[in-house]
Amino acid sequence: MVRQALSFDNDAVAAVLDEIGDLLELKGENVFRAVTYRAAARAIRDLREPLRMYVEQQRLAEIPKVGASVGDVIRQLLETGSSKRHDELLAAVPQGLLTLLRVPGVGPATARTIHEHLHITTIDELEEAAKNGRLRKLPKIQARTEENILKSIASLRQRTGRALLSDARTAASRMIDWLRQETGEQRVEIAGSLRRWRETIGDIDLLVASSSPGPVMEALTRAPSVLRTLARGDTKTSVVVDRGVQIDLRVVPEASWGAALLYFTGSKEHNVRLRGIALRKKLLLNEYGLYRAGEEKSGAPVASSTEDEIYAALGMQWIAPELREDRGEIQAAAAGELPELLELADVRGDLHSHSNWTDGRDSIAAMARAARARGYAYIGLTDHSVGLGMTQGLNVERIRERNAEIAALNMELAPFRILTGTEVDIRANGRLDYPDEVLALFDVVTASVHSAFNQTREVMTNRILGAMRHPLVDALSHPTGRLLERRDAYDVDLDQIIDVAAETGTRLEVNGGPERLDLPDVYVRKAIAKGVRLVTNSDAHAIEELDYMTNAVATARRGWATAASVENTRSLDALMSIRPKRPR
Ligand code: DGT
Ligand code: CA
Ligand code: CA
Ligand code: ZN
């Protein structure tokens, strides 16, 4: 890990602390110390201010789990770009061990066993050994572990190096603010897959309308987040910012703004089909405008300054960027049959969030006030059930205590309403983590899978269907369980899940967590077609994460969702009157 001291932001520090935790465990040293480093990493990821401020104001000790030794590591990282403790551990532990630990399912004990007996240090060697059944012959490693290791390696190979939507949004917004501030240009917009809200982003495309490209390009290359410049030209410049994300910036003349925005928003497939339609009308579409064929060099365009005019000249409605994937949107726009898409402003509340009663950071009061400040009418606090030992799920006594707190807060916050909820675990055997009389204590029950991800398709599907058939289960959360760029969806028959959701009235969640975006857009569309009702949720574990609702709404829009198919666009009264759920 070689990084400049200046670029150590909170996430980078947290990553080093996590790695120290791993190294301590690999050395077989003190397990509790490892736990401390990881807990500190987690606390740092949750901070709202940069660590630098804490160091400058000598407030490091205020951060949970940050004691003297973790504090030393943080100060050294910020001041010198490396930490003595980290470097010593790296020197003491063979690099190959750390590589093995990167494979999900390989813990420190397994890594050490594999390393000691087989001298394996690379993922390729590990895969080879697993395929040949050599791992299961080692002490304390079972056939099952070997299979899981193979699956993990397969999903590691799935990593594409694309950025998460949220990370790309953050990087793009920062850059847009900077460019506006430095150049005074007003038309600075996002294009490409990021404007379409695709779930992962290859690179960020920005577009600026200006008659003087030079100063804009120059402002881009000296932006604080830029690590290096890849290429600098008259109309396009590319740079790399934090986390290795690339930004392509193009400067276009004001007059061709609409045509350029259309062209560089894509998708490529959408553009190809649009150009085909243009050709049939004897028109030519490029990034400068829509022209009568033969006049693109000399004549004035038929349309060019806004997307609206161009789509209109092609005989169709303006198409929202989220739909531009050539999945039938062009035909629908030509027929005037595009859906009126869900908007963030339609959302009246959030039905999946966590407080510090379980693994969230903020109190119920803080979460509720933040939700109310956003103009919501209600928030469902769905803290975890007991089975998730690691997150200290709630037992019955604590549920009653928590309900009393919520009731008191509701008196104070009315007409805003906190719904008492649970995210109840669907156990490996299909049972719910609470008996019915406990489930009945909640206003909102959302069920989800958090364990035994490797079950067969049939077992997993039936496990989930059973929960959906339970009359007290209102919704199914993050239905595929995927973590983008990290973990594949579990093997589940989503078409069957969708059918049973329609049959039982169980809502399917569109979870806006940056790694989830689950239900994925194509299944959102299938679900709507079958009459399934959706809920868009943030799954926030802290007040600022309520923003993840934006991702959920975008994913729903990519699945052609209207406000009518989304339950949490209803008023509080309308929402409560349909519980318990009723079949379609
Ligand atoms: P990404 O970056 O992989 O997430 O996906 P995009 O869609 O942002 O792709 P990108 O960055 O290569 O290009 C941005 C847009 O520019 C793309 O959606 C459509 C347009 N574009 C780029 N190259 C071509 C091309 O060769 N032909 C056409 N028709 N459009 C292009
Ligand atoms: Ca792109
Ligand atoms: Ca690009
Ligand atoms: Zn959750």
Side-chain angles (χ1 to χ4, degrees):
M1 200 175 208
V2 207
R3 291 193 68 158
Q4 297 250 311
L6 277 177
S7 66
F8 263 96
D9 60 5
N10 293 9
D11 281 350
V13 170
V16 172
L17 295 176
D18 272 334
E19 190 163 285
I20 291 178
D22 290 348
L23 290 162
L24 285 169
E25 236 176 309
L26 282 173
K27 268 192 84 186
E29 276 193 3
N30 190 331
V31 179
F32 294 105
R33 307 229 54 186
V35 170
T36 304
Y37 276 93
R38 294 206 186 98
R42 164 114 221 203
I44 286 169
R45 288 196 175 91
D46 282 346
L47 293 178
R48 270 166 279 194
E49 292 170 72
L51 274 171
R52 191 164 293 282
M53 304 267 287
Y54 285 87
V55 172
E56 277 165 14
Q57 299 164 3
Q58 306 191 342
R59 289 164 44 221
L60 273 182
E62 288 174 17
I63 306 170
K65 310 292 174 191
V66 175
S69 56
V70 177
D72 280 343
V73 171
I74 295 171
R75 272 187 297 272
Q76 288 170 16
L77 285 174
L78 293 180
E79 283 159 19
T80 69
S82 66
S83 125
K84 204 160 147 259
R85 185 90 177 102
H86 185 223
D87 291 347
E88 283 166 4
L89 282 164
L90 279 175
V93 174
Q95 179 60 38
L97 265 180
L98 208 52
T99 308
L100 294 185
L101 200 67
R102 294 275 174 272
V103 179
V106 177
T110 312
R112 263 183 289 147
T113 307
I114 295 172
H115 188 258
E116 248 166 56
H117 289 84
L118 302 174
H119 309 293
I120 284 173
T121 58
T122 69
I123 308 259
D124 284 343
E125 289 166 2
L126 182 67
E127 185 175 32
E128 181 74 19
K131 278 188 178 153
N132 296 335
R134 283 194 285 139
L135 299 184
R136 65 179 74 184
K137 301 208 179 92
L138 299 179
K140 293 200 202 134
I141 297 186
Q142 278 138 27
R144 178 104 201 161
T145 311
E146 191 177 74
E147 283 159 26
N148 289 343
I149 287 175
L150 271 177
K151 281 189 187 155
S152 298
I153 292 175
S155 69
L156 275 183
R157 300 216 190 286
Q158 283 230 327
R159 279 188 205 175
T160 59
R162 294 172 64 86
L164 295 178
L165 177 65
S166 286
D167 292 341
R169 280 256 146 211
T170 307
S173 312
R174 271 175 79 187
M175 185 59 82
I176 288 174
D177 290 347
W178 166 263
L179 290 172
R180 288 206 175 120
Q181 172 199 314
E182 293 297 303
T183 65
E185 299 288 358
Q186 288 315 303
R187 277 194 162 171
V188 186
E189 299 292 341
I190 292 169
S193 53
L194 188 54
R195 184 164 178 241
R196 305 196 312 278
W197 294 83
R198 260 194 71 173
E199 58 199 31
T200 59
I201 305 299
D203 64 17
I204 296 170
D205 299 282
L206 297 183
L207 219 53
V208 180
S210 173
S211 47
S212 48
V216 180
M217 302 304 189
E218 191 265 331
L220 176 76
T221 55
R222 65 180 168 76
S225 60
V226 168
L227 299 179
R228 63 203 153 91
T229 300
L230 295 174
R232 170 136 185 210
D234 292 338
T235 59
K236 178 182 164 188
T237 294
S238 298
V239 296
V240 174
V241 296
D242 315 332
R243 298 171 198 247
V245 181
Q246 181 177 334
I247 300 184
D248 290 347
L249 175 104
R250 293 177 180 85
V251 180
V252 301
E254 188 85 31
S256 47
W257 176 252
L261 196 54
L262 182 59
Y263 184 91
F264 292 111
T265 296
S267 68
K268 207 169 162 186
E269 293 74 14
H270 178 87
N271 290 353
V272 166
R273 193 169 292 273
L274 272 189
R275 279 201 300 270
I277 295 202
L279 282 181
R280 265 179 268 149
K281 295 181 188 291
K282 300 212 176 351
L283 296 168
L284 187 131
L285 179 61
N286 62 25
E287 63 263 53
Y288 300 104
L290 181 67
Y291 299 87
R292 268 176 282 277
E295 292 182 10
E296 65 271 17
K297 295 260 152 50
S298 47
V302 177
S304 68
S305 65
T306 68
E307 287 186 338
D308 238 338
E309 288 167 22
I310 297 172
Y311 280 114
L314 290 171
M316 60 186 80
Q317 298 172 280
W318 177 82
I319 301 176
E322 293 92 328
L323 302 187
R324 300 185 194 172
E325 299 291 348
D326 191 24
R327 293 178 184 158
E329 72 280 7
I330 290 176
Q331 294 85 335
E337 285 170 358
L338 283 176
E340 196 173 312
L341 295 179
L342 171 73
E343 289 184 18
L344 188 59
D346 297 325
V347 171
R348 311 283 292 273
D350 198 324
L351 294 173
H352 181 170
S353 67
H354 299 268
S355 73
N356 58 6
W357 280 80
T358 55
D359 62 347
R361 187 195 66 195
D362 294 319
S363 66
I364 288 180
M367 293 293 285
R369 291 211 168 86
R372 190 174 65 163
R374 274 162 207 258
Y376 289 164
Y378 47 88
I379 183 171
L381 259 304
T382 49
D383 281 306
H384 288 287
S385 59
V386 269
L388 294 173
M390 52 169 190
T391 52
Q392 298 156 321
L394 299 176
N395 59 26
V396 181
E397 295 89 276
R398 299 198 73 229
I399 291 168
R400 291 188 194 282
E401 256 179 75
R402 182 172 165 280
N403 281 357
E405 179 182 321
I406 288 176
L409 277 166
N410 275 337
M411 301 274 278
E412 188 188 325
L413 298 174
F416 180 88
R417 173 87 172 266
I418 304 166
L419 303 172
T420 163
T422 182
E423 178 174 8
V424 65
D425 196 35
I426 309 171
R427 293 181 190 164
N429 63 8
R431 297 270 302 275
L432 293 176
D433 214 14
Y434 287 132
D436 292 3
E437 63 271 21
V438 174
L439 288 179
L441 297 172
F442 298 103
D443 297 324
V444 181
V445 175
T446 192
S448 49
V449 166
H450 290 107
S451 62
F453 301 117
N454 291 317
Q455 289 178 334
T456 64
R457 186 177 180 84
E458 200 188 347
V459 171
M460 182 61 90
T461 304
N462 287 329
R463 172 180 176 190
I464 294 173
L465 293 182
M468 293 171 71
R469 291 206 161 95
H470 194 297
L472 291 176
V473 169
D474 298 298
L476 174 68
S477 272
H478 41 78
T480 78
R482 72 172 178 181
L483 293 178
L484 290 163
E485 299 288 298
R486 195 141 74 87
R487 187 174 78 205
D488 277 347
Y490 32 72
D491 198 1
V492 60
D493 185 346
L494 279 175
D495 291 310
Q496 222 180 321
I497 301 281
I498 287 171
D499 286 343
V500 173
E503 180 191 312
T504 58
T506 309
R507 295 82 177 174
L508 295 184
E509 176 181 73
V510 184
N511 185 303
E515 295 183 294
R516 292 199 184 271
L517 309 183
D518 185 6
L519 205 60
D521 52 21
V522 287
Y523 289 101
V524 168
R525 192 151 170 211
K526 282 191 178 187
I528 292 171
K530 296 257 175 145
V532 170
R533 303 192 58 87
L534 305 169
V535 283
T536 55
N537 287 331
S538 70
D539 200 354
H541 285 66
I543 53 176
E544 65 276 11
E545 291 179 5
L546 289 167
D547 276 345
Y548 294 161
M549 181 63 79
T550 318
N551 303 331
V553 168
T555 304
R557 286 168 63 89
R558 284 181 57 86
W560 295 49
T562 64
S565 36
V566 177
E567 211 81 299
N568 50 315
T569 62
R570 296 180 188 249
S571 68
L572 178 63
D573 286 347
L575 188 78
M576 294 321 280
S577 71
I578 49 170
R579 192 171 191 272
K581 70 190 175 191
R582 278 193 298 260
R584 193 159 49 129

